Amino acid sequence: MGKLARFLLRFAVCAALAGAPEVPAAETRQNPPLSGKTLGTIFNNDLNNILYALDGSNTTPKQYQAVVQAILDMQPGVLAQNVGLPDPVIYPTAVGTTFDKYLVEVSRMTWPENGGADAERQRDALRSLFAAETDPLTLTIEACRARGLAIVASFRMNAEDWYDNTYLLSDFGRAHPEYRISGAGNLDPAVDEVYAHRMALLTEAAQRYDVDGLELDFRRWYRMVSNPLENHTVLTRMVRDTRKMLDETARMKKRDKLLLGVRVGPSLDSEPSPYLFPGIFYAEKPTNASCKELGLDVAAWFRDGLVDYVCPSLFLATLPGEPLTQEFAKLAEGTQAGVYPTLWPHAAWMHGIGERRVERGDDKALALYKHDLCQTVLDMYRHGADGISTFNWYAHLRNANVPHLWTDGEGAAGAGAEAVQTYAYPLLRDPDSIEEYLRRPWAIPPEPGNPDAKR
C-alpha cells in the first residue's frame, strides 16, 4: 500500500471510530472576532483555480500555500474557500468523494475536445498534496491562522459546473442517478437521502477542520431544489439544521461562535438588473433567478437569526452590475446579520470573458476600469451594504506568478485590471477609502520614488 493510500485509509478509519472529533490544538488560539456586520470583505475562492494553475504531479504544499498567501496579501476580512460541489470535495473525507477520483473521466465526457489535460493537471496536483499528507483545506487554514484571518469552508450547494454530468463526480451521485433534479445534472435535496448526505458533508467539514464556520453557496448554480416554490421549506430546514450543528460544534470546540454565511440570488422576488455577460461558455444561458425562484426564503433566515452574513449576487455580472442590495439591507435591519453584495471583476465594456483585457500602460482603460469598480462599490454601500464580497477574482494567480488559464487565457481580466483589484481590495471595507481612491489621478499607484513612472 502506497503512502497516499495509507494516508486516506488512516483518515477514514479515524473518522469512522471517533464518537466525536478531537478538538485540534489550534483551538486554544485566540479566535478572531466574528460579527456578521463587521467582517469587512469576504473573498470567495473557487474550488480549483489554484489546482489548475500549479504544476500537476510536481505540486508541493509550499507552492499551493504561496498562492493562498497571495490572496491573503490583499487583506480580505474572511476567506471563503470553496471546498465542495457539495460532493466531491478537495480534502480527505469519510463521507463524500475526493475531487480527483472521477475528475478526468467526467471532464473528458463533458468537453471531449479538450482531451482532459487540464483535468489531469488538477487531479495530479491534488494527489501530490494528498501524498504529502496534507490537502488544500488544511494548507489554507494554516495560512489563515498564521495571519489571524477568519476562514469559512464554502460549499456550492448544487453546482452544475460539469453540466448534466456533474452528479458523476461523486460515488453518491453515481450510486443514485434517480435522485437527480429532472433535467439537471445535480441531486435533489428534497430527497431524504440526499438531504442526509449533505448534512453529513457539512458536519464533517465543521467538526474535523479548524474553520470559523461554513458558507452555503446557493448561487452556483440555479437549480437548488425541485419545485422551488413548494420546496423552499427544504432549504430553510437545511439552513436551520446547519445553524444548530454549528452552534453545537462551537460549544464542543469551546468557541464563542461559528459563522454561517449564505450566497443567494440577486433579488428577493423581483426582476434584477439584466444579464450582462454574453461571453461565457455554458451549455445553456444562466439565469439571474430571484431568491424566491431558487427556493431561498431569505426573509425567514433573517427573521429567525439563522445566518450571520448574506451575499446577494448576480450569477454572472459586469461592472457596474449590482444585485438589488437595498432589498436585503432592509431585511437585515434590526438583526445581527450582515449584507455583503458580490462584486465581479469584469466591466460591461470588456464584453465577454477575455474579449477586452485591461493591460498595464493602457491608461484610458485603466481609468475607466477603476471608475466602474469604485462606483459600483460606492453604490453598494449607498444601498445599505455592510461590506463587500468578491467572486471569480484571480489576481492572486498573477501575483503569485503562476501562469495558466485564469491569468493568461479566457478567464483573465488582464494585468492592469488585476493590479487595480490588488490595490483596491484592502480599501473595499471602507467606502471613504474607495471614494479617496476614485479621486486619485492614477489607477495603479506610481512606483515608489518615481511619481511620474509609467503605470
Side-chain angles (χ1 to χ4, degrees):
M1 181 181 296
K3 186 178 182 181
L4 171 58
R6 289 196 301 273
F7 170 55
L8 296 175
L9 178 61
R10 184 168 71 250
F11 181 92
V13 170
C14 290
L17 294 178
E22 295 181 7
V23 179
E27 292 300 341
T28 61
R29 62 180 166 77
Q30 182 66 39
N31 301 316
L34 299 175
S35 171
K37 289 189 180 295
T38 60
L39 299 173
T41 51
I42 301 168
F43 189 111
N44 182 289
N45 192 50
D46 68 12
L47 186 81
N48 59 336
N49 69 79
I50 300 179
L51 292 172
Y52 191 109
L54 296 179
D55 195 15
S57 58
N58 294 320
T59 296
T60 67
K62 183 177 180 181
Q63 290 170 335
Y64 189 95
Q65 201 167 69
V67 187
V68 177
Q69 295 287 359
I71 296 175
L72 305 188
D73 286 344
M74 291 190 286
Q75 303 175 41
V78 176
L79 176 56
Q81 175 59 54
N82 176 222
V83 297
L85 301 178
D87 190 11
V89 297
I90 55 172
Y91 53 83
T93 174
V95 174
T97 306
T98 54
F99 183 56
D100 59 300
K101 186 171 184 179
Y102 300 115
L103 176 61
V104 174
E105 173 191 342
V106 179
S107 295
R108 286 174 175 160
M109 186 184 305
T110 307
W111 303 285
E113 69 282 1
N114 179 269
D118 296 338
E120 289 174 358
R121 187 170 61 253
Q122 295 171 63
R123 176 200 63 192
D124 293 347
L126 185 56
R127 289 182 176 177
S128 293
L129 298 179
F130 286 162
E133 300 194 4
T134 189
D135 60 84
L137 179 54
T138 295
L139 291 168
T140 304
I141 291 170
E142 290 173 357
C144 288
R145 292 294 167 246
R147 299 280 193 104
L149 179 75
I151 174 173
V152 297
S154 179
F155 286 86
R156 290 184 181 174
M157 296 311 294
N158 240 1
E160 292 183 81
D161 293 80
W162 281 258
Y163 313 141
D164 292 347
N165 299 323
T166 302
Y167 75 101
L168 294 170
L169 288 167
S170 72
D171 290 325
F172 185 82
R174 286 174 175 246
H176 298 289
E178 72 276 13
Y179 293 164
R180 283 177 292 168
I181 295 174
S182 178
N186 47 22
L187 304 183
D188 186 2
V191 177
D192 289 344
E193 291 81 0
V194 175
Y195 186 98
H197 180 66
R198 294 193 173 174
M199 287 307 304
L201 286 166
L202 297 174
T203 301
E204 179 185 54
Q207 292 188 349
R208 298 204 65 85
Y209 287 88
D210 181 28
V211 293
D212 295 299
L214 299 178
E215 181 182 90
L216 308 185
D217 185 351
F218 293 109
R219 179 68 293 216
R220 297 284 291 198
W221 284 35
Y222 49 96
R223 287 181 280 217
M224 294 295 114
V225 68
S226 62
N227 303 315
L229 298 183
E230 298 176 10
N231 287 334
H232 61 87
T233 56
V234 172
L235 300 182
T236 295
R237 177 163 59 97
M238 181 172 289
V239 173
R240 191 180 306 278
D241 287 349
T242 303
R243 172 79 274 162
K244 180 180 178 182
M245 179 271 292
L246 288 174
D247 290 345
E248 292 171 350
T249 302
R251 287 191 292 272
M252 179 183 68
K253 292 187 172 185
K254 298 181 174 58
R255 297 284 301 269
D256 292 335
K257 186 178 187 61
L258 290 175
L259 290 172
L260 177 56
V262 289
R263 296 180 59 81
V264 300
S267 63
L268 295 174
D269 182 21
S270 57
E271 187 67 25
S273 56
Y275 179 88
L276 289 174
F277 215 117
I280 193 67
F281 42 82
Y282 292 114
E284 59 183 273
K285 185 176 179 178
T287 61
N288 280 320
S290 69
C291 289
K292 181 177 180 180
E293 292 170 310
L294 291 168
L296 311 177
D297 190 356
V298 179
W301 305 352
F302 276 114
R303 183 189 65 236
D304 296 344
L306 302 181
V307 296
D308 295 291
Y309 70 81
V310 175
C311 300
S313 177
L314 293 154
F315 184 87
L316 289 164
T318 50
L319 304 172
E322 179 194 355
L324 298 184
T325 304
Q326 60 270 31
E327 295 187 348
F328 298 89
K330 185 174 180 60
L331 278 182
E333 290 177 359
T335 76
Q336 298 300 309
V339 175
Y340 297 80
T342 301
L343 184 69
W344 287 76
H346 290 76
W349 49 269
M350 296 166 72
H351 308 296
I353 288 183
E355 292 178 22
R356 172 69 167 88
R357 293 157 56 132
V358 178
E359 303 296 355
R360 288 178 176 271
D362 188 347
D363 288 347
K364 183 177 179 180
L366 282 167
L368 182 58
Y369 182 79
K370 181 189 81 166
H371 174 273
D372 286 354
L373 186 146
C374 291
Q375 194 58 60
T376 304
V377 172
L378 292 173
D379 287 344
M380 289 173 168
Y381 278 114
R382 181 168 57 85
H383 294 148
D386 294 291
I388 304 297
S389 70
T390 56
F391 186 79
N392 274 14
W393 284 40
Y394 297 121
H396 55 283
L397 298 177
R398 189 181 302 277
N399 295 342
N401 296 313
V402 287
H404 282 300
L405 170 70
W406 277 279
T407 53
D408 294 327
E410 57 203 68
E418 287 161 2
V420 171
Q421 294 167 19
T422 300
Y423 179 79
Y425 210 101
L427 311 179
L428 296 180
R429 66 181 66 240
D430 177 25
D432 290 340
S433 296
I434 288 292
E435 186 80 59
E436 181 180 352
Y437 175 41
L438 187 57
R439 292 195 297 265
R440 296 289 185 182
W442 39 258
I444 302 171
E447 295 177 4
N450 186 8
D452 298 322
K454 186 70 174 176
R455 297 178 293 280

